[in-house]
Amino acid sequence: MTTSHDQVKFAYWVPNVSGGLVISKIEQRTGWDIDYNRRLAQIAEQAGFDYALSQIRFTAGYGAEFQHEPVAFSHALLAATTKLKVIAALLPGPWNPAVAAKQIATISQLTEGRVAVNIVSGWFRGEFTAIGEPWLDHDERYRRSEEFIRALRGIWTQDNFTFRGDFYRFSDYTLKPKPAYPLPEIFQGGSSRAARDMAARVSDWYFTNGNSVAEIKKQVDDIRAKARANNHSVKIGVNAFAIARDTEAEARAVLDEIIVKADPEAVNAFGHEVKNAGKASPEGQGNWAQSSFEDLVQYNDGFKTNLIGTPEQIAERIVALKEVGVDLVLLGFLHFQEEVEYFGRRVIPLVRALEAKAAVHAQAAE
Ligand SMILES: Cc1cc2nc3c(=O)[nH]c(=O)nc-3n(C[C@H](O)[C@H](O)[C@H](O)COP(=O)(O)O)c2cc1C
C-alpha cells in the first residue's frame, strides 16, 4: 500500500495577481479577486490539492497590473478552507524577518498550522527601484535570503534567540506565541548555483522552474548530494503549466493558441528582466537562463515540464518526475476553477493508482 507519505503532493499557483499565468491574449477565465480565489481554494482542497502558493509582486513590467499582497491574501484563503496549506511568498528586503516571523506565527496559530512560506530572492530590479529598496547583486540576494531563513527558523524554535548576521541582528529575542505545530514549512524559489546551495543548507523545500525530467533529475541529484554532505534534507517542487484535455490534440491546440496569442511586447519586457536576472548569477544557470520566447510565455517555464495531453499521459509524466526524486508538482492553469476540478477528478486518481502499482512492485521485489 502506498501511504500518504509516499504520494507526490500537488500545489497550485494562487492567482492573486491579475492576468493569469500566461502572457497571452487568449481567453483566460481566471480571476485575481478574493471571491474567485476563495472558491478556487475550496475546489482545490476537495480535488486533492495539498498546497496553494501565493505570489509577491510590487509592480509589473509585463501586464500583471493588479497584485494582492500575499500574506493577507493567504490568510483569507486559509480562513475559507479546512485542509489546504497555503504558502505565502515573502521577499527579503521589503520584509524583515522580525515582522515576517510574527505575522506568520499569528496566522499559524489562527489556522492550526496550515501556513507555510516561500522565500523569494527577487529578480526584478525595476520593482526594487520603484519601492526604494536597494538592489543587491545576485549572490548577495541569496546570502540575505539564507540569513532571513535562519532568522525565521531561530525565532520560531528558540527562546532568547541571538543572531549576528551581515543583514539581520537579533539579541536575546523570544517570540510569543510561537507558531502552532507543525511549524511553517520554508519553501524557496530559484535555480541558480546560489539558490541550490541555499536549499542544500537551510530550506525545507526547493522550488524550481519547469523543465524536462532529465534536467530536473540533474538538479535533484546535485541538491540532494550537497544536502547530504550538510546533514540536511530538502524536498523538491517543480513548476508545470497543465493542459489536461480528453484528447492530446485538444490539449496541444490550447498550447498553440496560447503561444500564437502571446503578447510579444509583454513577453519581451519580461524576458529582458529575467534574462538579466538569470545571467546575473556568476555561473549563468539561474532560472530563465535557457528560456526561449515560447517558454517565457509562461512565467516559470511551465510548458517545459510537458504536462500537456490526456489525463493518462499527464499522470505518467508526473510519476516519471516522482521517480527522479520530485516530491511536489506546482501547477498553473488557463481557467483555474474548471481545470483544478478536472485535474482532481481525472488526473490525481490516475497518479494515485500508478503510485499504488509501483508500491506493490517495490514490495514484491523486496
Ligand atoms: C515556484 C517559484 C515561485 C516564485 N515566486 C516568486 C514570487 O512570488 N515573486 C517573485 O518576485 N519571485 C518569485 N520567484 C523567483 C525566485 O525567487 C528567484 O528570484 C528567481 O527564480 C531567480 O532565481 P535564480 O536566479 O536563483 O534562478 C519564484 C520562483 C519559483 C521557482
Side-chain angles (χ1 to χ4, degrees):
M1 269 297 281
T2 18
T3 64
S4 63
H5 184 70
D6 299 314
Q7 295 182 337
V8 68
K9 305 251 185 298
F10 291 99
Y12 73 91
W13 286 92
V14 174
N16 58 314
V17 167
S18 66
L21 266 286
V22 288
I23 313 177
S24 173
K25 292 182 173 147
I26 189 171
E27 184 205 9
Q28 298 192 59
R29 292 189 298 276
T30 290
W32 58 278
D33 58 285
I34 189 60
D35 290 342
Y36 182 90
N37 269 288
R38 277 202 195 97
R39 181 78 199 109
L40 173 60
Q42 290 160 352
I43 292 170
E45 72 176 5
Q46 279 295 317
F49 279 71
D50 306 279
Y51 294 93
L53 170 71
S54 61
Q55 313 166 51
I56 176 61
R57 264 290 51 82
F58 283 91
T59 67
Y62 51 89
E65 190 183 355
F66 299 95
Q67 316 105 21
H68 279 304
E69 188 283 312
V71 176
F73 208 79
S74 296
H75 187 207
L77 300 183
L78 286 162
T81 49
T82 57
K83 291 184 293 191
L84 191 70
K85 293 185 196 146
V86 184
I87 312 163
L90 296 175
L91 184 57
W95 265 273
N96 83 31
V99 175
K102 202 154 181 66
Q103 256 180 325
I104 299 296
T106 294
I107 296 177
S108 169
Q109 286 284 337
L110 300 178
T111 61
E112 290 154 335
R114 287 191 291 126
V115 67
V117 293
N118 183 31
I119 309 305
V120 310
S121 295
W123 52 267
F124 189 8
R125 185 184 188 135
E127 176 178 70
F128 274 61
T129 307
I131 62 169
E133 274 292 327
W135 179 245
L136 303 180
D137 282 351
H138 184 274
D139 285 9
E140 283 297 279
R141 296 201 291 277
Y142 278 95
R143 231 160 55 77
R144 176 169 66 186
S145 293
E146 182 162 341
E147 284 192 12
F148 192 99
I149 292 174
R150 288 185 189 278
L152 280 187
R153 210 188 292 289
I155 296 166
W156 285 339
T157 56
Q158 297 171 33
D159 284 344
N160 308 106
F161 177 63
T162 294
F163 184 80
R164 296 270 175 269
D166 291 336
F167 299 91
Y168 306 115
R169 310 280 166 96
F170 290 86
S171 299
D172 210 13
Y173 174 55
T174 301
L175 172 75
K176 289 184 183 179
K178 297 217 169 14
Y181 277 91
L183 281 181
E185 294 175 286
I186 300 179
F187 291 70
Q188 66 156 96
S191 306
S192 55
R193 183 74 269 154
R196 295 181 197 190
D197 289 351
M198 181 174 89
R201 283 192 292 266
V202 292
S203 307
D204 295 321
W205 285 89
Y206 168 83
F207 259 146
T208 190
N209 274 6
N211 222 323
S212 64
V213 174
E215 288 300 315
I216 295 292
K217 181 176 187 317
K218 283 188 208 159
Q219 291 186 38
V220 174
D221 292 348
D222 174 46
I223 291 168
R224 291 250 158 86
K226 287 214 160 184
R228 258 194 311 278
N230 296 334
N231 218 359
H232 179 68
S233 93
V234 56
K235 287 177 268 191
I236 312 279
V238 173
N239 179 52
F241 190 83
I243 309 177
R245 296 291 184 275
D246 293 349
T247 67
E248 185 178 6
E250 275 175 88
R252 290 272 149 212
V254 173
L255 176 63
D256 291 346
E257 191 186 342
I258 293 173
I259 306 273
V260 166
K261 295 189 175 161
D263 178 346
E265 220 173 282
V267 174
N268 287 328
F270 175 66
H272 176 73
E273 288 297 337
V274 296
K275 290 277 176 184
N276 277 343
K279 280 196 207 105
S281 59
E283 81 299 337
Q285 285 176 15
N287 274 343
W288 307 290
Q290 316 286 333
S291 309
S292 67
F293 177 89
E294 284 76 14
D295 296 330
L296 290 170
V297 175
Q298 202 293 303
Y299 298 116
N300 287 89
D301 282 353
F303 303 142
K304 280 192 187 170
T305 318
N306 194 22
L307 300 190
I308 297 166
T310 62
E312 290 72 19
Q313 290 172 317
I314 292 175
E316 276 163 20
R317 289 173 198 154
I318 290 171
V319 172
L321 286 167
K322 184 184 173 187
E323 275 164 10
V324 300
V326 169
D327 302 284
L328 176 151
V329 182
L330 169 65
L331 296 163
F333 300 91
L334 199 56
H335 312 302
F336 267 78
Q337 288 184 351
E338 297 93 308
E339 296 192 41
V340 160
E341 190 277 330
Y342 182 92
F343 196 91
R345 188 162 42 82
R346 297 291 309 276
V347 182
I348 295 180
L350 295 177
V351 173
R352 298 304 177 223
L354 289 172
E355 287 176 320
K357 207 157 116 189
V360 169
H361 282 150
Q363 248 174 5
E366 269 170 17

